[in-house]
Amino acid sequence: MRTLVSALLALLALAVAAAGLTSAWIDENLVEESGFVALAAPLADDADFQAALTDSLAQEVTATTGLPEQFDSFVEPLVRDAAGAVTGSSGYPAAWRETLRLSHAFTFAQAPQPSEPAPAILTLDVGPVVGLVAESVSESLGVDVPVPEDTTIDVGSIERGGLLSGLADGVQSWRLYLAGAGVLALLALVIARRRGTTLALLGLGVAGLGVIGYLAGEWVPGIAAQAPGTSAIADVFIRGLAERAGSNIAGSSVPVIVAGSIAVVIGVVLRIGFERRRRA
């Protein structure tokens, strides 16, 4: 009976630990603004993303110059050149980070109601970058080019019901999940008849969670590539963010594998030492 109860507690500890580790990554890298900005900021240097962003900015700004439509063929190349120059300017990284901060706030501030349209998984607000382009075009044309009223770009969509808000609230308790997993593991060890073996098996389970996380990091980009965006820039952004997330998940899983392996070694050593004392 002790062995059975210990095994059940150990399995429950591993399940709660898996939920805690997953929640910790989501909270620190997606829900927390600083983590999201740090994860997505390097996309500013991605050539494909810059090209898609330049096209989007050129279309947005050209439509708001206030000039007659017959001038679009003349203005559009100027706007495109200005947009390309902005993405390589010294002010672009700061504008892109501000874009990410605004996008994060806009996305998680949404509180969809059943009567509202399905919200985006993520809403990019490229206002700061559009502002740089509009300023550059205004200087080139000698006219005041206003920033478009709507500078948001939706990336995918989710079902109604406040899924993002619920997710954000749930993952923020990851410390409690991990603490609960630790308590369950400790109880499993206290109740177990063979504590060295139990510790080794717990360590093996933790290492297994780390391996699953490492493999998940490899799977994320492929899964994201199958999720349709709503525009070229949305597709490029979600693909680039998924690649960054996959690498981060894989890297974060390595310490878990190491910790589990250490527990396995300690458990085996304790088990061997106990067997030797019994024989003596």
Side-chain angles (χ1 to χ4, degrees), residues 10 61 64 157 223 269:
V61 177
T64 59
S157 63
I223 295 173
V269 170

Side-chain angles (χ1 to χ4, degrees), residues 5-249:
V5 173
S6 177
L8 291 175
L9 287 171
L11 289 174
L12 186 57
L14 291 173
V16 176
L21 291 171
T22 302
S23 297
W25 189 91
I26 294 174
D27 183 45
E28 293 187 346
N29 293 279
L30 297 179
V31 176
E32 289 292 329
E33 179 189 279
S34 58
F36 174 74
V37 172
L39 184 67
L43 286 176
D45 300 323
D46 183 271
D48 290 338
F49 181 73
Q50 284 192 6
L53 181 60
T54 297
D55 288 339
S56 178
L57 294 176
Q59 294 173 10
E60 291 282 346
V61 177
T62 300
T64 59
T65 57
L67 297 176
E69 293 184 2
Q70 55 265 35
F71 288 96
D72 284 354
S73 60
F74 168 72
V75 173
E76 198 273 340
L78 295 178
V79 174
R80 188 173 297 277
D81 290 342
V86 162
T87 56
S89 68
S90 59
Y92 172 61
W96 173 240
R97 295 180 75 88
E98 181 63 18
T99 287
L100 293 175
R101 282 189 285 269
L102 290 174
S103 301
H104 184 274
F106 190 87
T107 298
F108 283 94
Q110 294 185 28
Q113 300 298 324
S115 60
E116 295 179 355
I121 296 175
L122 174 67
T123 300
L124 284 176
D125 187 344
V126 295
V129 182
V130 172
L132 283 179
V133 177
E135 181 180 348
S136 177
V137 174
S138 296
E139 293 176 355
S140 300
L141 297 178
V143 296
D144 184 23
V145 177
V147 175
E149 292 183 4
D150 185 7
T151 56
T152 59
I153 299 172
D154 287 343
V155 181
S157 63
I158 59 176
E159 295 181 358
R160 299 173 180 83
L163 178 60
L164 284 177
S165 299
L167 175 65
D169 292 339
V171 299
Q172 289 175 0
S173 300
W174 62 267
R175 293 177 182 82
L176 292 177
Y177 302 155
L178 293 181
V183 171
L184 290 169
L186 183 60
L187 288 175
L189 288 171
V190 170
I191 294 174
R193 295 179 60 191
R194 298 177 179 177
R195 295 190 176 95
T197 301
T198 301
L199 178 59
L201 291 175
L202 280 170
L204 187 62
V206 171
L209 293 179
V211 171
I212 292 173
Y214 189 89
L215 293 175
E218 301 291 329
W219 300 330
V220 166
I223 295 173
Q226 300 174 7
T230 56
S231 64
I233 189 173
D235 290 336
V236 175
F237 179 83
I238 198 169
R239 184 170 65 248
L241 185 64
E243 291 174 356
R244 293 276 306 161
S247 298
N248 191 287
I249 292 171

Side-chain angles (χ1 to χ4, degrees), residues 193-197 266-276 278:
R193 295 179 60 191
R194 298 177 179 177
R195 295 190 176 95
T197 301
I266 294 174
V268 171
V269 170
L270 290 176
R271 180 61 185 168
I272 293 175
F274 179 76
E275 289 291 341
R276 288 179 177 176
R278 284 184 57 186

